[in-house]
Amino acid sequence: MNKENKIKVGDVLEGTISMNASGSCYLTSKDLPKDIYIHNTKTNKALHLDLVKIEVVSGKGQKGIEGRVIEILERFKDTFVGTLQVSERYAFLVPDSKKMSIDIFIPLSKLMGGTDGQKAVGKLTNWKDDAKSPNGKIIEVLGDAGDNDVEIHSILHEYDLPYSFDEDVIAESELISEVITDKEISKRKDMRNVLTFTIDPDTAKDFDDALSVEWVDGKMVVGVHIADVSHYLRPDTSLDKEALARGTSVYLVDRVVPMLPERLSNGLCSLRPHEDKLCFSAVFTLDSNGHVMNEWFGRTVIHSDHRFTYEGAQDIIEGDTEKIFQGFGMDFDPILYNMLIDAVTRLDKTAKKMRAQRFKRGSISFDNQEIKFKLDENNKPVDILFKIQKDSNKLIEEYMLLANRHVATFLKKKGPCVNRAHDKPDPTKLESLKEFVAPLGYHIKTGNADEITSTLNQLLIDVKGTPLEIMIGNLVVRTMQKANYTTENMGHYGLGFKDYAHFTSPIRRYADVIIHRMLGRALEGKSSMKPSKLEARCKHISEREIKAQKASRDSDKYMQCIYMSERVGKLFKGRISSVQEYGVFVSIDENGCEGLVRLSEIGGDTFTADVLNHCVIGHNTGEKIHLGDEIDIVVKGVDVERKNIDFTLIR
């Protein structure tokens, strides 16, 4: 019997609600076969992500099974960021979040000095039964709407992310000695005489990984050296508690909100060139095909001989000798110069073999297009470009993956681990993808995990370089589960690894700090952290990662809105990137900016959305506009504060 048929009118269910901009929502629960629709008149004052109890009121509604909220069990949040609208007698806070469709009533006595048009943080105080809006009070005034810093701080506040360190945390970081003593060096493997270098973005300041290369008995020995953050970050100190609370650094368009104070992230821990640095290292002896013949883990001291940018390393890989020479500047040493060129060249050749083998073993080849912004001196976007992943990026990726995988395998033998887990694709979404691509001439087999992986990879290869590449790539990504941290070792589906952990970025991820501590204890023969405590930390850092990712996306969207606000009325070519009940989202070809074409803005007929089949259909003509279709749009309007871009479709 179908599970869905077991849900009947009158049933009372519990779950979390996911709200859309109209105020309607869906009840989601892992125990339900599908989400349950709740109209905006039946939410009973529930808000986005609240834990609620609902009653099923219809089993055959227009949206499928429908319900109504009968009790709010737990509020997800009670503070909101928004813009103040102040009149003579009262005020409202208009929330920034599209998931919060209700304004908050603020008595004039509760404004904290906030004025009309300012950004502020409001807290719900009560919501009377007969009131359309909840009552609240302002707990912090952020500043004038439209100011760049104010808008960025608003994004951070929305996700409960800090943007500064308390004085006691800064003071504690300043007390840490920068001196590396002979006693400390004596406890470590001294690798300062081994050729070592970093490869990072040209804007990077926190270099948390370096590679070393030497040849022993004709075999290449590669050291993956990671900043030994755990040496400086001692458990239960104010610094450590703050790093755990943050969980991760947050990367926004115009700034980084670091997990660690700058003295550690850009100073003591950063593997800057021509300085002795403390590391935790994974050293591998590789054969000519990149197979691991021997491995060693332990604490080291290194001395980086050179700092490459990705562009500089790419010049070596491509053999651009003039650019290579210029990249070494005034400190040119012909012997070191030749050694570095040889090392990067050989590392690249081996990395390419390792990468090919990884895909044969089951890794999925995601090459998602990411954007980057060119900013002026006032942090205003003047151009939007697409990031291009070249061989130098892939080189670093491959050796980081190697270290992460082998550290995880080593720790697995010692007890519970902080695994970077990635479960198999969502079967329902996978079946939907299969049905969608079949008419386009592509086929996905879903019989077993190996078939799924090989046919998804083949699909991504087949559409590469075609107009369908971005759309199909996005659809494949949407079938995937979200990766998270857990003590359960389910493997990493996307990478095709049975064991995987995060070891290589402890400056910016607390998960890696935990792994370093676990590895240190394992090498000393000591027991690990209790599984229950470890799982609680996994849950916390997974939640912090999600918030950081959302803030990063909002930062991108904010800058896109700033950029497009000066292009209202301009014509662009784009492709439909997703279909929603209320319209279609379109991604502009030349810059990746995404905006909404509402159904009412599609002329020539009355259109309705068929979300399941990724298209909109004309009521009279039967015309279909599909996901991936190339269309012309005009920028109709931009709401920077709500981060909305509206397009009109040109027929």
Side-chain angles (χ1 to χ4, degrees):
M1 184 177 180
N2 191 316
K3 286 183 179 180
E4 188 176 332
N5 294 333
K6 293 182 179 180
I7 299 175
K8 59 186 183 298
V9 174
D11 282 352
V12 175
L13 307 167
E14 291 183 11
T16 300
I17 62 169
S18 178
M19 193 162 282
N20 59 36
S22 70
S24 298
C25 57
Y26 287 88
L27 182 87
T28 62
S29 170
K30 63 181 180 180
D31 299 322
L32 295 175
K34 68 177 296 184
D35 297 345
I36 296 176
Y37 176 75
I38 302 165
H39 191 266
N40 58 17
T41 59
K42 297 176 181 178
T43 58
N44 193 21
K45 298 181 170 58
L47 301 174
H48 183 56
L49 296 182
D50 285 352
L51 180 65
V52 301
K53 188 178 289 186
I54 73 154
E55 178 188 11
V56 176
V57 296
S58 172
K60 297 181 180 179
Q62 186 179 2
K63 306 287 186 179
I65 300 174
E66 297 186 9
R68 69 181 181 95
V69 177
I70 58 175
E71 185 181 354
I72 298 169
L73 300 175
E74 184 180 340
R75 285 273 189 218
F76 174 71
K77 65 185 292 186
D78 62 1
T79 60
F80 299 89
V81 177
T83 304
L84 284 170
Q85 292 182 349
V86 182
S87 67
E88 290 183 2
R89 292 185 296 167
Y90 54 82
F92 281 95
L93 183 74
V94 181
D96 286 351
S97 174
K98 298 173 188 175
K99 303 290 188 179
M100 179 67 171
S101 60
I102 300 169
D103 299 344
I104 303 168
F105 177 82
I106 310 290
L108 296 182
S109 60
K110 304 291 185 182
L111 280 172
M112 276 193 70
T115 59
D116 187 59
Q118 288 193 311
K119 281 291 180 77
V121 183
K123 182 179 177 67
L124 299 187
T125 53
N126 63 75
W127 198 338
K128 296 178 182 178
D129 291 340
D130 59 348
K132 289 184 178 180
S133 297
N135 284 1
K137 63 180 181 180
I138 298 304
I139 58 175
E140 185 176 354
V141 178
L142 300 176
D144 294 335
D147 178 86
N148 185 69
D149 280 347
V150 171
E151 295 294 342
I152 295 299
H153 290 170
S154 297
I155 291 170
L156 293 169
H157 261 291
E158 179 66 32
Y159 298 107
D160 191 30
L161 298 169
Y163 48 82
S164 61
F165 287 97
D166 290 341
E167 290 182 5
D168 63 323
V169 175
I170 295 293
E172 192 174 280
S173 71
E174 295 296 331
L175 292 175
I176 300 174
S177 174
E178 63 183 20
V179 176
I180 300 176
T181 64
D182 290 340
K183 182 179 179 181
E184 182 59 40
I185 291 174
S186 69
K187 300 175 185 177
R188 297 168 177 265
K189 184 173 185 176
D190 191 341
M191 299 188 70
R192 288 176 291 181
N193 291 325
V194 180
L195 181 69
T196 304
F197 50 90
T198 59
I199 304 177
D200 290 282
D202 59 353
T203 57
K205 295 178 181 177
D206 55 342
F207 312 135
D208 53 11
D209 60 84
L211 295 177
S212 70
V213 182
E214 59 183 329
W215 284 265
V216 178
D217 297 330
K219 301 292 189 295
M220 186 166 69
V221 179
V222 178
V224 180
H225 306 288
I226 310 300
D228 191 358
V229 173
S230 61
H231 172 79
Y232 299 102
L233 195 66
R234 300 299 184 178
D236 300 322
T237 58
S238 295
L239 262 175
D240 184 53
K241 291 175 182 176
E242 180 67 17
L244 173 59
R246 294 181 177 224
T248 180
S249 295
V250 184
Y251 289 84
L252 308 177
V253 172
D254 66 341
R255 71 197 68 193
V256 177
V257 182
M259 184 181 78
L260 301 172
E262 187 174 321
R263 185 158 190 272
L264 282 113
S265 60
N266 295 355
L268 294 176
C269 298
S270 185
L271 307 183
R272 297 181 299 202
H274 316 303
E275 296 180 15
D276 290 352
K277 291 291 180 178
L278 302 179
C279 289
F280 222 133
S281 302
V283 182
F284 303 99
T285 302
L286 305 176
D287 68 14
S288 59
N289 291 313
H291 296 126
V292 176
M293 303 177 67
N294 188 37
E295 65 183 26
W296 176 91
F297 306 112
R299 287 189 164 91
T300 60
V301 56
I302 70 162
H303 187 96
S304 176
D305 297 292
H306 190 71
R307 186 241 160 155
F308 283 111
T309 63
Y310 280 120
E311 291 79 8
Q314 188 66 30
D315 290 338
I316 291 176
I317 293 168
E318 294 178 0
D320 193 332
T321 55
E322 185 175 343
K323 281 188 179 179
I324 295 168
F325 183 82
Q326 291 172 351
F328 279 79
M330 299 295 293
D331 298 325
F332 179 73
D333 177 338
I335 296 176
L336 176 63
Y337 169 86
N338 288 315
M339 289 173 65
L340 286 166
I341 289 176
D342 183 59
V344 170
T345 303
R346 295 206 193 190
L347 282 171
D348 174 62
K349 288 179 179 177
T350 303
K352 284 171 177 165
K353 293 178 181 179
M354 292 160 62
R355 185 177 175 85
Q357 292 161 12
R358 179 161 60 83
F359 289 134
K360 284 183 180 179
R361 290 195 301 265
S363 279
I364 296 177
S365 178
F366 293 116
D367 280 324
N368 297 330
Q369 267 194 327
E370 295 182 44
I371 58 173
K372 62 179 180 179
F373 295 84
K374 184 178 180 181
L375 305 177
D376 66 14
E377 63 276 5
N378 297 314
N379 285 332
K380 182 180 177 180
V382 294
D383 201 2
I384 303 177
L385 309 168
F386 289 105
K387 293 181 182 177
I388 300 174
Q389 292 279 49
K390 294 190 175 182
D391 289 338
S392 57
N393 303 85
K394 295 174 182 178
L395 180 159
I396 290 296
E397 177 188 41
E398 215 55 51
Y399 290 102
M400 298 305 115
L401 291 176
L402 177 70
N404 286 336
R405 179 162 59 96
H406 280 261
V407 166
T409 301
F410 176 81
L411 287 175
K412 177 184 174 182
K413 300 171 185 175
K414 307 295 180 180
C417 180
V418 175
N419 301 292
R420 182 60 172 177
H422 186 223
D423 209 350
K424 298 178 182 66
D426 182 295
T428 304
K429 292 180 180 178
L430 192 63
E431 197 62 35
S432 177
L433 174 66
K434 178 181 177 180
E435 292 175 4
F436 178 75
V437 300
L440 301 174
Y442 303 108
H443 302 284
I444 298 172
K445 295 181 180 179
T446 56
N448 57 56
D450 288 342
E451 279 186 347
I452 293 170
T453 301
S454 62
T455 54
L456 284 179
N457 262 333
Q458 190 59 51
L459 172 65
L460 293 170
I461 291 169
D462 290 343
V463 300
K464 194 168 185 66
T466 74
L468 297 173
E469 179 180 359
I470 296 175
M471 177 196 68
I472 296 293
N474 288 337
L475 286 176
V476 171
V477 169
R478 290 174 197 171
T479 69
M480 297 293 157
Q481 309 278 11
K482 291 187 181 297
N484 68 331
Y485 298 105
T486 176
T487 54
E488 181 184 355
N489 187 21
M490 64 180 70
H492 195 292
Y493 177 82
L495 292 171
F497 295 161
K498 291 182 179 179
D499 307 309
Y500 192 64
H502 275 165
F503 163 75
T504 54
S505 295
I507 289 177
R508 63 183 179 91
R509 293 187 304 224
Y510 197 84
D512 304 54
V513 175
I514 299 175
I515 288 293
H516 280 221
R517 288 173 177 165
M518 295 178 72
L519 183 57
R521 293 182 67 83
L523 292 171
E524 294 170 5
K526 297 178 181 178
S527 60
S528 187
M529 193 184 297
K530 291 182 179 179
S532 58
K533 185 176 181 181
L534 205 56
E535 185 60 35
R537 292 202 166 180
C538 286
K539 182 180 178 182
H540 168 74
I541 57 181
S542 293
E543 290 171 352
R544 299 304 290 179
E545 178 189 41
I546 290 170
K547 289 186 174 185
Q549 289 171 345
K550 288 180 176 179
S552 180
R553 285 196 293 268
D554 278 6
S555 171
D556 283 352
K557 191 66 179 179
Y558 166 68
M559 288 295 185
Q560 287 178 344
C561 286
I562 294 290
Y563 183 78
M564 295 304 294
S565 65
E566 296 184 354
R567 289 156 178 82
V568 173
K570 187 174 179 180
L571 177 70
F572 290 95
K573 286 193 177 295
R575 289 188 180 276
I576 295 176
S577 54
S578 73
V579 177
Q580 303 297 328
E581 295 172 356
Y582 43 86
V584 296
F585 281 94
V586 178
S587 178
I588 294 175
D589 291 344
E590 70 180 62
N591 56 36
C593 288
E594 191 174 57
L596 175 66
V597 177
R598 301 180 189 277
L599 292 179
S600 59
E601 293 292 329
I602 306 176
D605 202 345
T606 301
F607 284 83
T608 56
D610 182 351
V611 177
L612 191 63
N613 292 303
H614 309 287
C615 66
V616 295
I617 305 170
H619 178 72
N620 299 312
T621 63
E623 179 189 4
K624 291 184 180 181
I625 302 174
H626 296 88
L627 183 74
D629 282 355
E630 186 176 44
I631 59 174
D632 293 324
I633 57 92
V634 166
V635 182
K636 179 185 178 185
V638 178
D639 184 339
V640 175
E641 291 183 18
R642 300 299 292 268
K643 305 176 189 68
N644 290 332
I645 303 173
D646 286 321
F647 296 150
T648 298
L649 190 150
I650 303 301
R651 307 284 282 167

